[in-house]
Amino acid sequence: MRIGTFVHLFEWSHGDVAIECEAFLGPKKFSAVQVSPPNEHIVGDEWWTRYQPVSYALESRSGSHEAFVDMVKRCKAVGVDVIVDVVVNHMAAGSEGVGVNGTHYTNRNFDPLYSPDDFHHSESDNQSNCQVNDYNDLENVQKCDLVGLPDLDTSSPKVQKTIASYLDNLLEAGVAGFRLDASKHQESEALGQYLSQMSSTTVPYVFCEVIEGDEEAVKAEMYFDYCDVTEFNFAQEVGSNIVSPGKMKFLSGVGSSWGLIPSDSAVTFTDNHDTQRGNAPLTYKDGPLYDVFNIFLLTSDYGYPKLMSSYEFDDPDQGPPDSSPCDGHGWVCEHRRYGGLVAWRISAGENEVSNFQSLDDGEGDVICFSRGNAAFVAINRSEDTFVLKCGTETNLRAGTYYNVLDDNESTIDIDESGKVSNDIEIGAMGAVALHLGAMHEY
Ligand code: AAO
């Protein structure tokens, strides 16, 4: 079971990530931060320019090589690992261009890294390739170009060596983990081979971006030997029980019995940078209902949760604001709202969900559960204030606890039999979360 929590600081600059590690993520005990691809990419204001690599120089919209190294060092110093978004399935599209660090490229030619033969290509022409257009066909998904992006032949020894050397470079800078972008479009054995060719003695945490669609040819389980895997169905399945009223009561036992991948392999999230522009059940735009979803994500015993931290957008292509995050100018900073739950998860530790209760007489909008004797949460998804009755079982030992979702401003007493000692009001779309690490000292 994963007790940590990580956050994707999407499109933050290296300098701002370093400040956030020191000011918030470290003190709140986040295990890691996922940063946007730090290598050279195509020029342009759109966020997705970061997913079109031009070289592996650590120069990007987020900052210079030097700033990158400084960020990794400062985050590490306060106990926060840096997980890099690694884009090695493909390189930049188009017939010609210049990257943000001045590297010139032409069609499927990224001198000195890759030449046209390093990419999958048509039999008779190394300047072109088929397009991914049939997700039921493994070859099509893994050997053709995804949205026109030249697809690297990751089974080639030269390509594997080049990727392994990029990864080594990141580890040398102190990076602790990788998100392997578009893993689904790389043969899993080939992915395992380049990972095994890294020479660094650091063993990174690796998770693979694989969206397992119904009946599709690529299955998440193909990757379990090499990495954890993004479980996109968590958001869909759990989200549908949060979006519609009256269904919170069904959220007991989230896991394999729901058709999800094994908990120990799963990276979970409510939304990510793609789905918040696509089919995410809820995003920051949904207000308090989205908070309910994130509170469930962080208190669930399933998977390794990743919080999304966004900037506001209307146009889905829009790049990040030109200001520092969390100062109110265009950044959402969702993760700041749930800081207290990170320590809650650490207290909950390896304990599974127990004593799951539907509290509103079968209406199904208010639930509570414990994680052993260490942590307790009650979540009110309804539009009305709910009174958590004196006598509600928490499994916690007697004492006075802070509600960690309330900046520790309110306290709740638990009696000798592990029950709530007074009636407690939980606001609409609100929650109380108590744990052994946040008891009131006398
Ligand atoms: C940009 C332009 C393009 C242009 C291209 C080249 O937008 O118009 O052709 O440049 O010039 C990001 C952006 C892209 C952008 C790209 C490069 O999203 O718009 O293209 O940078 O700049 C598939 C992949 C998955 C991928 C996802 C977007 O499998 O790996 O598409 N995600 C990653 C990154 C993403 C990035 C890239 C990959 C490329 O996170 O940010 O692209 O580096 C189904 C399939 C999935 C498929 C989705 C979307 O999913 O199963 O494999 O993902 O469709 O096409 C349910 C179903 C599920 C379904 C899902 C969504 O959940 O169960 O099966 O709904 O419909």
Side-chain angles (χ1 to χ4, degrees):
M1 200 176 294
R2 303 258 180 208
I3 59 174
T5 301
F6 71 118
V7 56
H8 181 193
L9 296 182
F10 177 55
E11 282 282 8
W12 285 43
S13 74
H14 300 325
D16 286 327
V17 171
I19 292 169
E20 192 67 359
C21 280
E22 291 167 347
F24 189 79
L25 305 181
K28 293 292 182 191
K29 299 190 166 43
F30 277 77
S31 50
V33 55
Q34 178 189 317
V35 298
S36 289
N39 61 299
E40 183 178 10
H41 52 88
I42 58 168
V43 174
D45 292 338
E46 299 86 353
W47 63 268
W48 45 256
T49 56
R50 309 289 295 269
Y51 292 88
Q52 298 206 36
V54 172
S55 81
Y56 296 146
L58 296 175
E59 301 287 339
S60 69
R61 174 155 60 220
S62 287
S64 65
H65 185 141
E66 203 185 7
F68 176 80
V69 172
D70 181 61
M71 164 190 73
V72 174
K73 196 167 135 209
R74 287 165 63 188
C75 287
K76 215 173 161 179
V78 292
V80 182
D81 286 344
V82 170
I83 297 178
V84 162
D85 198 346
V86 168
V87 186
V88 293
N89 171 64
H90 51 261
M91 296 294 282
S95 56
E96 197 178 4
V98 178
V100 293
N101 196 38
T103 304
H104 182 248
Y105 65 94
T106 54
N107 187 36
R108 306 177 97 80
N109 199 352
F110 296 82
D111 197 38
L113 274 187
Y114 301 119
S115 58
D117 283 334
D118 295 326
F119 295 87
H120 288 123
H121 55 76
S122 311
E123 241 170 71
S124 53
D125 174 18
N126 69 6
Q127 292 295 312
S128 68
N129 194 21
C130 48
Q131 298 302 311
V132 173
N133 53 20
D134 181 2
Y135 277 101
N136 297 325
D137 177 349
L138 193 70
E139 286 242 334
N140 177 270
V141 178
Q142 299 189 329
K143 296 192 174 166
C144 295
D145 292 358
L146 172 66
V147 295
L149 300 159
D151 194 60
L152 280 164
D153 178 1
T154 26
S155 66
S156 130
K158 179 193 160 191
V159 171
Q160 291 183 357
K161 200 168 157 227
T162 309
I163 294 174
S165 136
Y166 171 44
L167 300 181
D168 269 329
N169 218 6
L170 292 170
L171 293 177
E172 223 165 87
V175 164
F178 309 129
R179 167 196 185 263
L180 297 182
D181 180 70
S183 301
K184 174 177 183 172
H185 302 277
Q186 304 169 47
E187 294 156 279
S188 54
E189 296 78 11
L191 179 150
Q193 281 159 4
Y194 68 64
L195 287 177
S196 71
Q197 285 174 40
M198 290 182 291
S199 52
S200 169
T201 48
T202 308
V203 179
Y205 170 70
V206 183
F207 75 100
C208 290
E209 189 226 4
V210 178
I211 306 175
E212 187 178 303
D214 284 347
E215 314 292 324
E216 285 188 11
V218 180
K219 304 287 175 209
E221 64 187 33
M222 295 172 175
Y223 296 81
F224 292 168
D225 284 348
Y226 314 110
C227 48
D228 282 357
V229 174
T230 48
E231 179 44 290
F232 281 76
N233 292 324
F234 174 89
Q236 296 302 331
E237 299 297 325
V238 173
S240 66
N241 284 294
I242 291 177
V243 170
S244 316
K247 292 175 140 191
M248 293 289 286
K249 62 182 173 194
F250 298 129
L251 291 177
S252 66
V254 172
S256 305
S257 64
W258 285 41
L260 302 178
I261 65 174
S263 176
D264 283 345
S265 293
V267 169
T268 49
F269 42 90
T270 54
D271 58 332
N272 77 358
H273 68 284
D274 288 328
T275 66
Q276 71 173 190
R277 292 165 175 75
N279 67 349
L282 295 166
T283 70
Y284 78 86
K285 296 186 185 209
D286 296 289
L289 197 52
Y290 179 62
D291 293 332
V292 167
F293 196 1
N294 272 319
I295 291 165
F296 184 80
L297 169 82
L298 295 180
T299 51
S300 167
D301 57 6
Y302 176 78
Y304 181 20
K306 173 169 77 152
L307 282 171
M308 177 69 201
S309 191
S310 325
Y311 56 83
E312 292 161 11
F313 65 90
D314 295 317
D315 171 2
D317 291 334
Q318 189 183 315
D322 190 16
S323 61
S324 280
C326 305
D327 62 0
H329 301 297
W331 298 88
V332 188
C333 290
E334 298 92 311
H335 67 286
R336 289 264 188 106
R337 300 182 207 150
Y338 323 109
L341 287 179
V342 177
W344 187 100
R345 274 188 76 76
I346 294 169
S347 283
E350 301 274 330
N351 293 300
E352 291 181 355
V353 168
S354 56
N355 200 25
F356 186 101
Q357 304 173 62
S358 175
L359 291 173
D360 50 351
D361 294 331
E363 292 293 316
D365 278 327
V366 189
I367 57 168
C368 71
F369 56 87
S370 309
R371 298 280 301 276
N373 303 114
F376 168 83
V377 66
I379 310 176
N380 174 17
R381 184 241 172 267
S382 78
E383 310 278 349
D384 304 310
T385 297
F386 179 81
V387 179
L388 184 69
K389 294 267 170 29
C390 168
T392 304
E393 178 64 66
T394 69
N395 285 2
L396 293 169
R397 72 161 191 252
T400 300
Y401 291 80
Y402 290 110
N403 175 11
V404 297
L405 281 166
D406 187 22
D407 276 339
N408 292 350
E409 281 188 11
S410 57
T411 57
I412 292 172
D413 290 329
I414 304 298
D415 69 18
E416 292 299 332
S417 56
K419 293 181 173 147
V420 177
S421 304
N422 311 92
D423 283 359
I424 310 292
E425 286 199 349
I426 310 178
M429 303 280 169
V432 295
L434 319 176
H435 69 102
L436 287 184
M439 290 180 77
H440 183 65
E441 301 286 338
Y442 290 98

